[in-house]
Amino acid sequence: MANYPVTIVESCSQGLIAFVAEGDFTVTDAAGKAIASTGDVGSDSGAVVKIEGPEGKEAIRAACFSRNGALFAICTNDKAIRIYETAGWSLKRKLVSEKRTNALCFDPESKHLVTGDKFGDCYRISVDSDGGSDKPEILLGHVSILCSVGFSYSPKSYVLTCDRDEKLRVSKYPNAYNIQAFGLGHREFVTSVATAAFAPEIAVTGAGDGTVRLWRLETGDLLQTIELDSLMRKYYESGKARCGESTREDRTAATQRYGVLRVRPLESQRSFVAVVERIPAVLVLPVGNDLASFGEPVLVDIEAAPTDVATIEDGFVVSFEPRAAV
């Protein structure tokens, strides 16, 4: 797996962490010991469960664990979707979707996998296959590319979808034709949405406009906006973040950008964390007791520009951009 940089990191409450690199993924425990892998993990490979990976090493576009940690899913460039049982890492279900999937999320009961694709459609897929009567069913639709899918922790179950047209949509689940609210305010594509058990009434989004925003789910009210330029400009001024540097996410001209790559909940600290393209830091945003605002933001410096972040019980795990040889 070391032939490619890690671009996706996923974790679950059971202490499992999945590291995705191109067409392979490796699963470790919280201490970093490899448990299972689709590729070769070196001298310890005899103690590691071999997982059936994507055919032809097709690149993995998205991945996720179920909330109970019992299931893990990936989608690949060839439109295939695979669902694994984490108890033994056997392949539970494989199917090929009609369109290329961009985002994945299991529903709260871990009975269905919800997917979002490049045409704006969101499907619901049963994790169990009975041989033909369980084809993916359309759940909802946007008019542009879906970038992120999530679920609320509130007593009323909501499915949250984000798109390239600057919107957060909050829909009732499973009857997602009933729209509860829209979150409007982002100025560019919304890349990530996160919710947390410690604050079931809110959601946090990050976007290409260089902001992280806090929303009230029931109403779609925008509670607070964090402008990343004022917090992170120092990384450009010091040269730690370079304008126009060719990265996996951005190859534009020499401009300072603060596009959010991922937002995650950090339950034990009653906070959310975010990573931003080019910026060698993790942003930690504690949530106030009123659940309507953020506390003082904290920046934790890291070695290089991140590609993803996942949270574990008492902290977070970050994957980095490969650094050029000097």
Side-chain angles (χ1 to χ4, degrees):
M1 201 178 97
N3 293 332
Y4 295 96
V6 173
T7 54
I8 301 171
V9 185
E10 293 288 336
S11 61
C12 69
S13 58
Q14 272 56 50
L16 300 177
I17 307 169
F19 298 90
V20 176
E22 193 69 8
D24 280 314
F25 67 90
T26 294
V27 182
T28 74
D29 60 20
K33 181 181 179 181
I35 296 171
S37 180
T38 59
D40 183 8
V41 293
S43 59
D44 294 332
S45 59
V48 176
V49 176
K50 180 67 174 179
I51 305 173
E52 179 184 333
E55 296 171 1
K57 298 294 184 182
E58 285 285 342
I60 298 170
R61 299 175 60 84
C64 67
F65 282 100
S66 60
R67 282 188 183 174
N68 61 14
L71 301 171
F72 181 73
I74 61 170
C75 61
T76 48
N77 273 342
D78 59 357
K79 303 180 183 179
I81 295 171
R82 291 172 171 81
I83 301 173
Y84 300 89
E85 292 182 304
T86 61
W89 289 100
S90 60
L91 183 63
K92 183 177 180 64
R93 185 169 185 197
K94 175 189 171 184
L95 67 155
V96 177
S97 59
E98 294 183 3
K99 304 163 190 174
R100 187 174 293 174
T101 300
N102 292 328
L104 300 169
C105 187
F106 287 97
D107 66 11
E109 291 76 29
S110 303
K111 293 182 178 179
H112 295 87
L113 179 68
V114 173
T115 68
D117 66 36
K118 61 183 293 186
F119 290 91
D121 292 326
C122 199
Y123 288 88
R124 190 170 80 146
I125 301 167
S126 173
V127 300
D128 295 305
S129 174
D130 64 6
S133 63
D134 53 356
K135 293 182 179 180
E137 59 177 308
I138 188 73
L139 189 64
L140 59 89
H142 287 232
V143 294
S144 66
I145 295 173
L146 281 173
C147 303
S148 184
V149 179
F151 279 89
S152 69
Y153 283 85
S154 55
K156 296 179 181 178
S157 187
Y158 297 117
V159 57
L160 283 59
T161 47
C162 301
D163 66 24
R164 192 179 63 176
D165 287 346
E166 309 162 3
K167 296 190 301 298
L168 164 67
R169 171 174 162 173
V170 182
S171 308
K172 295 181 179 180
Y173 183 80
N175 300 319
Y177 51 81
N178 289 319
I179 301 174
Q180 178 67 27
F182 282 104
L184 304 176
H186 279 296
R187 302 181 297 274
E188 291 189 36
F189 50 92
V190 185
T191 53
S192 185
V193 60
T195 57
F198 71 83
E201 302 91 352
I202 63 173
V204 177
T205 56
D209 60 5
T211 67
V212 175
R213 299 178 187 244
L214 179 65
W215 309 89
R216 191 174 303 284
L217 285 175
E218 288 276 350
T219 61
D221 290 340
L222 177 59
L223 301 175
Q224 187 174 353
T225 299
I226 301 293
E227 296 283 352
L228 299 178
D229 175 77
S230 60
L231 290 173
M232 297 181 167
R233 188 184 305 119
K234 64 181 183 181
Y235 292 98
Y236 284 105
E237 293 172 346
S238 67
K240 292 181 179 179
R242 294 181 175 84
C243 295
E245 183 179 4
S246 179
T247 72
R248 295 180 68 87
E249 296 295 330
D250 182 284
R251 301 178 187 276
T252 57
T255 55
Q256 294 185 9
R257 290 180 59 86
Y258 304 94
V260 177
L261 301 175
R262 186 84 75 173
V263 181
R264 303 277 198 185
L266 183 54
E267 296 279 0
S268 63
Q269 304 299 315
R270 297 181 61 85
S271 301
F272 288 84
V273 300
V275 289
V276 177
E277 61 177 339
R278 301 182 181 175
I279 303 298
V282 177
L283 175 64
V284 182
L285 295 168
V287 176
N289 292 331
D290 60 357
L291 302 183
S293 62
F294 292 121
E296 187 67 24
V298 176
L299 284 168
V300 179
D301 288 350
I302 56 178
E303 287 186 26
T307 59
D308 203 359
V309 65
T311 54
I312 53 179
E313 183 177 357
D314 55 355
F316 47 80
V317 178
V318 186
S319 55
F320 299 141
E321 291 271 348
R323 289 181 290 179
V326 179

